[in-house]
Short mmCIF file of all heavy atoms in Angstrom, two decimals:
data_model
loop_
_atom_site.label_atom_id
_atom_site.label_comp_id
_atom_site.label_asym_id
_atom_site.label_seq_id
_atom_site.Cartn_x
_atom_site.Cartn_y
_atom_site.Cartn_z
N CYS A 564 -4.02 4.68 -18.72
CA CYS A 564 -3.97 3.97 -17.44
C CYS A 564 -3.95 2.47 -17.67
O CYS A 564 -3.21 1.73 -17.00
CB CYS A 564 -5.15 4.38 -16.55
SG CYS A 564 -6.75 4.31 -17.34
N ASN A 567 -0.56 1.29 -18.71
CA ASN A 567 0.49 1.40 -17.69
C ASN A 567 0.22 0.59 -16.43
O ASN A 567 1.07 0.55 -15.55
CB ASN A 567 0.69 2.87 -17.31
CG ASN A 567 1.47 3.64 -18.36
OD1 ASN A 567 2.70 3.65 -18.35
ND2 ASN A 567 0.76 4.25 -19.30
N CYS A 568 -0.97 -0.01 -16.32
CA CYS A 568 -1.30 -0.73 -15.09
C CYS A 568 -0.44 -1.99 -14.98
O CYS A 568 -0.53 -2.90 -15.82
CB CYS A 568 -2.78 -1.11 -15.10
SG CYS A 568 -3.21 -2.16 -13.70
N PRO A 569 0.41 -2.09 -13.95
CA PRO A 569 1.31 -3.25 -13.86
C PRO A 569 0.57 -4.56 -13.65
O PRO A 569 1.09 -5.62 -13.98
CB PRO A 569 2.17 -2.93 -12.62
CG PRO A 569 1.93 -1.50 -12.30
CD PRO A 569 0.59 -1.14 -12.85
N SER A 570 -0.66 -4.51 -13.06
CA SER A 570 -1.37 -5.76 -12.80
C SER A 570 -2.47 -6.02 -13.83
O SER A 570 -3.28 -6.93 -13.66
CB SER A 570 -2.00 -5.72 -11.41
OG SER A 570 -2.99 -4.71 -11.35
N ARG A 571 -2.49 -5.19 -14.89
CA ARG A 571 -3.50 -5.36 -15.96
C ARG A 571 -4.92 -5.37 -15.38
O ARG A 571 -5.75 -6.19 -15.78
CB ARG A 571 -3.26 -6.66 -16.73
CG ARG A 571 -1.90 -6.75 -17.37
CD ARG A 571 -1.97 -6.28 -18.83
NE ARG A 571 -0.65 -6.11 -19.41
CZ ARG A 571 0.03 -4.96 -19.43
NH1 ARG A 571 -0.47 -3.87 -18.90
NH2 ARG A 571 1.20 -4.87 -20.01
N SER A 572 -5.19 -4.50 -14.46
CA SER A 572 -6.51 -4.49 -13.80
C SER A 572 -7.50 -3.52 -14.46
O SER A 572 -8.67 -3.48 -14.08
CB SER A 572 -6.35 -4.09 -12.33
OG SER A 572 -5.47 -4.96 -11.68
N ILE A 573 -7.02 -2.70 -15.40
CA ILE A 573 -7.90 -1.69 -16.02
C ILE A 573 -8.21 -2.14 -17.45
O ILE A 573 -7.28 -2.46 -18.21
CB ILE A 573 -7.22 -0.31 -16.01
CG1 ILE A 573 -6.87 0.09 -14.58
CG2 ILE A 573 -8.10 0.74 -16.66
CD1 ILE A 573 -6.08 1.38 -14.46
N ILE A 589 -13.13 -2.32 -13.73
CA ILE A 589 -11.75 -2.65 -13.38
C ILE A 589 -11.77 -3.91 -12.52
O ILE A 589 -12.81 -4.31 -11.99
CB ILE A 589 -11.02 -1.50 -12.64
CG1 ILE A 589 -11.48 -1.37 -11.19
CG2 ILE A 589 -11.14 -0.18 -13.36
CD1 ILE A 589 -10.41 -0.75 -10.32
N THR A 593 -7.17 -8.01 -8.53
CA THR A 593 -5.78 -8.10 -9.00
C THR A 593 -5.01 -6.84 -8.62
O THR A 593 -3.82 -6.89 -8.31
CB THR A 593 -5.73 -8.33 -10.52
OG1 THR A 593 -6.61 -7.39 -11.15
CG2 THR A 593 -6.14 -9.74 -10.88
N CYS A 594 -5.69 -5.70 -8.64
CA CYS A 594 -5.05 -4.44 -8.23
C CYS A 594 -4.62 -4.53 -6.76
O CYS A 594 -3.46 -4.28 -6.42
CB CYS A 594 -6.06 -3.30 -8.44
SG CYS A 594 -5.59 -1.74 -7.67
N TYR A 597 -1.74 -6.80 -6.08
CA TYR A 597 -0.47 -6.17 -6.44
C TYR A 597 0.02 -5.26 -5.31
O TYR A 597 1.20 -5.27 -4.95
CB TYR A 597 -0.67 -5.39 -7.74
CG TYR A 597 0.58 -4.76 -8.28
CD1 TYR A 597 1.68 -5.53 -8.66
CD2 TYR A 597 0.69 -3.38 -8.42
CE1 TYR A 597 2.84 -4.95 -9.14
CE2 TYR A 597 1.84 -2.79 -8.91
CZ TYR A 597 2.91 -3.58 -9.27
OH TYR A 597 4.06 -3.00 -9.74
N TRP A 598 -0.89 -4.47 -4.72
CA TRP A 598 -0.51 -3.60 -3.59
C TRP A 598 0.07 -4.44 -2.45
O TRP A 598 1.04 -4.05 -1.82
CB TRP A 598 -1.72 -2.87 -3.02
CG TRP A 598 -2.39 -1.90 -3.92
CD1 TRP A 598 -2.17 -1.68 -5.25
CD2 TRP A 598 -3.44 -1.00 -3.55
NE1 TRP A 598 -3.01 -0.72 -5.72
CE2 TRP A 598 -3.80 -0.29 -4.71
CE3 TRP A 598 -4.12 -0.75 -2.36
CZ2 TRP A 598 -4.80 0.68 -4.71
CZ3 TRP A 598 -5.12 0.22 -2.35
CH2 TRP A 598 -5.46 0.92 -3.51
N CYS A 605 -0.39 1.35 -5.29
CA CYS A 605 0.41 1.45 -6.52
C CYS A 605 0.31 2.87 -7.09
O CYS A 605 1.29 3.59 -7.17
CB CYS A 605 -0.10 0.40 -7.51
SG CYS A 605 0.25 0.74 -9.22
N GLY A 606 -0.92 3.28 -7.49
CA GLY A 606 -1.13 4.65 -7.96
C GLY A 606 -0.55 4.98 -9.32
O GLY A 606 -0.52 6.14 -9.73
N ARG A 607 -0.08 3.94 -10.05
CA ARG A 607 0.50 4.23 -11.37
C ARG A 607 -0.55 4.86 -12.29
O ARG A 607 -0.25 5.77 -13.06
CB ARG A 607 1.04 2.92 -11.97
CG ARG A 607 2.00 3.10 -13.12
CD ARG A 607 3.33 3.61 -12.62
NE ARG A 607 4.02 4.33 -13.67
CZ ARG A 607 4.53 5.55 -13.51
NH1 ARG A 607 4.45 6.19 -12.39
NH2 ARG A 607 5.17 6.14 -14.49
N CYS A 608 -1.78 4.34 -12.23
CA CYS A 608 -2.84 4.86 -13.11
C CYS A 608 -3.07 6.35 -12.85
O CYS A 608 -3.20 7.16 -13.77
CB CYS A 608 -4.13 4.06 -12.93
SG CYS A 608 -4.56 3.73 -11.21
N MET A 609 -3.10 6.70 -11.55
CA MET A 609 -3.34 8.09 -11.19
C MET A 609 -2.18 8.98 -11.65
O MET A 609 -2.38 10.09 -12.13
CB MET A 609 -3.49 8.17 -9.67
CG MET A 609 -4.01 9.47 -9.17
SD MET A 609 -4.04 9.53 -7.37
CE MET A 609 -5.50 8.61 -6.97
S1 SF4 B 273 -3.40 1.23 -8.67
FE1 SF4 B 273 -1.84 0.25 -9.99
S2 SF4 B 273 -2.44 -1.90 -10.08
FE2 SF4 B 273 -4.22 -0.75 -9.35
S3 SF4 B 273 -5.41 -0.24 -11.18
FE3 SF4 B 273 -4.03 1.51 -10.79
S4 SF4 B 273 -2.22 1.06 -12.03
FE4 SF4 B 273 -3.34 -0.85 -11.83
#
Side-chain angles (χ1 to χ4, degrees):
C564 50
N567 284 274
C568 174
S570 65
R571 301 266 169 267
S572 303
I573 302 175
I589 75 154
T593 48
C594 167
Y597 184 62
W598 296 9
C605 157
R607 196 73 206 129
C608 45
M609 192 184 280

